[in-house]
Amino acid sequence: AQSVTQPDARVTVSEGASLQLRCKYSYSGTPYLFWYVQYPRQGLQLLLKYYSGDPVVQGVNGFEAEFSKSNSSFHLRKASVHWSDSAVYFCVLSFYGSSGNKLIFGIGTLLSVKP
Amino acid sequence: NSKVIQTPRYLVKGQGQKAKMRCIPEKGHPVVFWYQQNKNNEFKFLINFQNQEVLQQIDMTEKRFSAECPSNSPCSLEIQSSEAGDSALYLCASSLMPNSDYTFGSGTRLLVI
């Protein structure tokens, strides 16, 4: 069955430090993968996406992610975090199955950036 | 600022009352999804449309939930008889085609008391 696992419910880093948020997926076909961010009392905003090609994809605000088919992973990275990056980050798998298009969401990782 | 507009931002209803929320998808996006996000960050798919036609919906929506996406009018999701378990953030998302980028609205937070 298709699934998305974000093993870290909460990550705390200091401002200026590097960041990696982990995402593992389970899907036998070619995955479409997304990272979305949700700020308090807001909807989800797209950070970046992977469809095919270069496994390292660049997103907004200095975020990037690396797709690994062998590891079934799509980890999110940022070289230097800012306090405004504090939010909940969701890894999302999109696929087209027998009953149409589906989105599978991870449980989210709450990022807290200490000043 | 989201290109998908959801209203109202907050909705408070008593049990058994109707709850209706609206969504204007991003311009040019024919595909519209509704999701329910609970306080544990679990997302439940409710229904989706393509050009006003229902593509998929879960069984739950066939009973108390109804939704429509008429042409030239906002999409809407209505709960006929609200229950405490319906308290959640309801997110509308639109896309150019299935299996492509989704633009999410800010959501309608429903509280059923």
Side-chain angles (χ1 to χ4, degrees):
Chain A
Q2 301 80 17
S3 66
V4 173
T5 301
Q6 291 181 249
D8 305 308
R10 185 168 190 149
V11 170
T12 300
V13 297
S14 297
E15 192 167 23
S18 63
L19 169 73
Q20 176 171 277
L21 301 183
R22 296 183 292 165
C23 172
K24 300 273 284 185
Y25 69 90
S26 175
Y27 180 59
S28 58
T30 301
Y32 286 6
L33 292 160
F34 305 87
W35 276 98
Y36 282 87
V37 60
Q38 186 175 37
Y39 297 100
R41 294 175 296 282
Q42 294 189 27
L44 278 68
Q45 298 175 29
L46 180 66
L47 280 179
L48 45 78
K49 61 191 177 189
Y50 174 79
Y51 289 157
S52 64
D54 189 338
V56 179
V57 291
Q58 304 297 320
V60 299
N61 298 333
F63 285 94
E64 68 173 28
E66 182 166 6
F67 169 73
S68 171
K69 187 174 177 64
S70 60
N71 293 326
S72 298
S73 67
F74 189 55
H75 301 328
L76 182 71
R77 302 189 297 238
K78 187 170 184 178
S80 177
V81 296
H82 187 263
W83 64 267
S84 60
D85 293 325
S86 297
V88 181
Y89 292 79
F90 292 95
C91 183
V92 182
L93 166 69
S94 175
F95 66 95
Y96 209 86
S98 58
S99 56
N101 186 222
K102 300 287 186 187
L103 291 181
I104 306 295
F105 292 80
I107 206 68
T109 296
L110 174 62
L111 173 65
S112 297
V113 180
K114 298 186 300 183
Chain B
N1 290 329
S2 177
K3 297 175 183 176
V4 174
I5 308 300
Q6 288 190 248
T7 56
R9 288 295 301 273
Y10 301 94
L11 196 53
V12 181
K13 294 292 178 181
Q15 294 195 50
Q17 290 187 318
K18 284 186 185 180
K20 187 169 186 175
M21 54 202 82
R22 292 176 175 80
C23 169
I24 300 175
E26 183 172 344
K27 191 173 182 180
H29 282 190
V31 179
V32 175
F33 279 74
W34 285 98
Y35 282 92
Q36 179 196 65
Q37 180 186 10
N38 68 18
K39 61 181 180 179
N40 296 321
N41 285 336
E42 295 163 331
F43 290 79
K44 180 182 289 184
F45 166 78
L46 297 177
I47 192 168
N48 67 343
F49 295 83
Q50 183 163 357
N51 292 322
Q52 298 87 49
E53 298 295 322
V54 175
L55 291 181
Q56 314 159 60
Q57 62 182 1
I58 65 169
D59 288 343
M60 180 179 77
T61 65
E62 294 176 7
K63 296 174 181 173
R64 295 186 300 111
F65 288 63
S66 62
E68 61 176 3
C69 261
S71 60
N72 301 316
S73 293
C75 298
S76 64
L77 175 69
E78 185 172 60
I79 306 173
Q80 298 300 321
S81 178
S82 301
E83 299 175 355
D86 298 329
S87 296
L89 180 67
Y90 289 81
L91 291 165
C92 175
S94 71
S95 69
L96 195 54
M97 63 186 73
N99 223 19
S100 66
D101 301 7
Y102 294 87
T103 304
F104 284 82
S106 297
T108 292
R109 188 166 297 281
L110 172 66
L111 175 63
V112 181
I113 56 177

